[in-house]
Amino acid sequence: MLKITLDPYSRKARLYPALLTTLPLVLVVLSFTRDPGTIGLPLSVATTCGFALLLAQLGRDLGRRKEPALFQVWGGTPTTQFLRHRSDYLSPVTRQRYHTTLEALVPGVKLPNREEEASDPPAADQVYAACVDWLREATRDRSQFPLVFSENVNYGFRRNFWALRRVGIWVSSLAFIGSLAAFLSRNVTGVPLVLPLLSGGLSAAYLGIWLLHIDSEWVKLAGFAYARALLAACDALSKTTGSKHGA
C-alpha cells in the first residue's frame, strides 16, 4: 500500500522519518497487548484511509519550515557556498569549471567574478541560487542522475528527521515510561515479558540517538553531499549539450 500511495522520495525522505519517530509508541502499545496481531487491523485501516500520506506531509512541512534555520547556521545553502569565490569547499579550478558550464547552460545568466561577488555578496548569492534552481530542474530524471536523487533522498530524510527531534525526544521518553509500566504490570495484563523489554530497550536507544546524534551537523553532512552531487551533474549536462550541438 505504501509503495502504491507514495513515490520513492516521499516514502524515504518524508514518510520514514515520521514512522520512525512514532515507532516507540507503537511498541509500547504492543507491550500492553496480549495478542500483538490485534494491532494489525487498525494500522491497516489507518494506512488505507491516508494516514501514511498525512505523516509524509507533516514530515515534509516540518522539515521545510526549519530548513532556513539550518542554512543560517551553515552560512547559506550548501550549493551557494560551493559556488562562492570566497569559499574553500571546492578547488578554484573545479569551481570555475562549474561557473563556466552554468553560464553556458542557464539562459541569460552571467555569474559574478571574485570582485563583483565581494562588492555585493547578496546579489551574487541570488545569481548562484537561480543557477541551482535551474540545475535542480534539469536533473529530475532519476535514471539519468541516480546519485543526485540518492543524495537528495538522504538529505531530505535527515532534514525531516532532525525537524522532528523535539517530538522524538518526548515520544521516546513517554514510550520508555510506558514500557516500564507495562513491565511492572505484566502479571496483571499477561503480556509476554519480551514485549515491554523490547519496547523499553528501543525507547532508551531512540532517546540516546535523539539527544546525542541528531543535530544540524548530522544534517549538514548529507546536505553538502547532495550539493556536491548536484553540481557535479554540470559535467554530464555539459557533455549532453555539447553532443547535441555537435550533431
Side-chain angles (χ1 to χ4, degrees):
M1 175 59 70
L2 297 182
K3 292 183 179 180
I4 296 174
T5 304
L6 302 173
D7 62 87
Y9 180 87
S10 294
R11 281 202 318 274
K12 298 175 182 178
R14 297 171 180 170
L15 176 62
Y16 289 175
L19 287 178
L20 287 171
T21 302
T22 57
L23 178 60
L25 286 181
V26 175
L27 291 180
V28 78
V29 170
L30 285 174
S31 65
F32 280 98
T33 307
R34 290 188 181 184
D35 181 10
T38 58
I39 200 172
L41 179 59
L43 284 178
S44 299
V45 172
T47 300
T48 305
C49 292
F51 182 65
L53 181 60
L54 175 61
L55 282 179
Q57 294 295 314
L58 292 176
R60 179 199 65 176
D61 292 346
L62 277 174
R64 286 187 174 179
R65 251 198 315 266
K66 293 191 174 184
E67 191 175 54
L70 284 176
F71 294 158
Q72 186 173 6
V73 171
W74 297 347
T77 65
T79 44
T80 294
Q81 293 188 60
F82 282 6
L83 291 173
R84 288 171 180 162
H85 291 282
R86 61 186 185 275
S87 75
D88 56 0
Y89 288 109
L90 296 176
S91 71
V93 175
T94 301
R95 181 170 55 248
Q96 186 56 52
R97 186 174 78 248
Y98 291 160
H99 278 214
T100 302
T101 301
L102 288 170
E103 280 190 344
L105 292 175
V106 184
V109 167
K110 182 182 183 303
L111 275 75
N113 57 36
R114 184 177 294 274
E115 292 72 22
E116 291 169 338
E117 179 187 294
S119 65
D120 195 349
D125 283 354
Q126 289 181 4
V127 176
Y128 299 146
C131 289
V132 172
D133 287 342
W134 182 93
L135 188 58
R136 191 179 296 112
E137 293 301 320
T139 55
R140 293 288 186 189
D141 189 342
R142 296 199 301 267
S143 61
Q144 187 177 359
F145 302 98
L147 181 59
V148 174
F149 175 73
S150 176
E151 295 294 359
N152 189 26
V153 168
N154 290 338
Y155 168 65
F157 173 86
R158 292 196 183 197
R159 181 200 66 186
N160 296 339
F161 199 57
W162 167 82
L164 290 163
R165 184 175 186 270
R166 184 173 297 180
V167 176
I169 291 173
W170 276 104
V171 166
S172 299
S173 301
L174 292 174
F176 181 78
I177 295 172
S179 300
L180 181 60
F183 176 79
L184 295 176
S185 62
R186 68 188 185 282
N187 292 330
V188 177
T189 59
V191 299
L193 177 62
V194 67
L195 291 179
L197 289 179
L198 175 62
S199 176
L202 184 70
S203 299
Y206 258 57
L207 186 59
I209 291 172
W210 284 116
L211 293 173
L212 301 176
H213 192 66
I214 309 303
D215 55 21
S216 62
E217 287 299 312
W218 182 68
V219 184
K220 183 178 180 180
L221 290 173
F224 276 63
Y226 169 53
R228 287 184 183 277
L230 184 62
L231 290 174
C234 286
D235 295 331
L237 289 169
S238 178
K239 291 178 182 177
T240 302
T241 304
S243 64
K244 288 181 179 179
H245 288 315

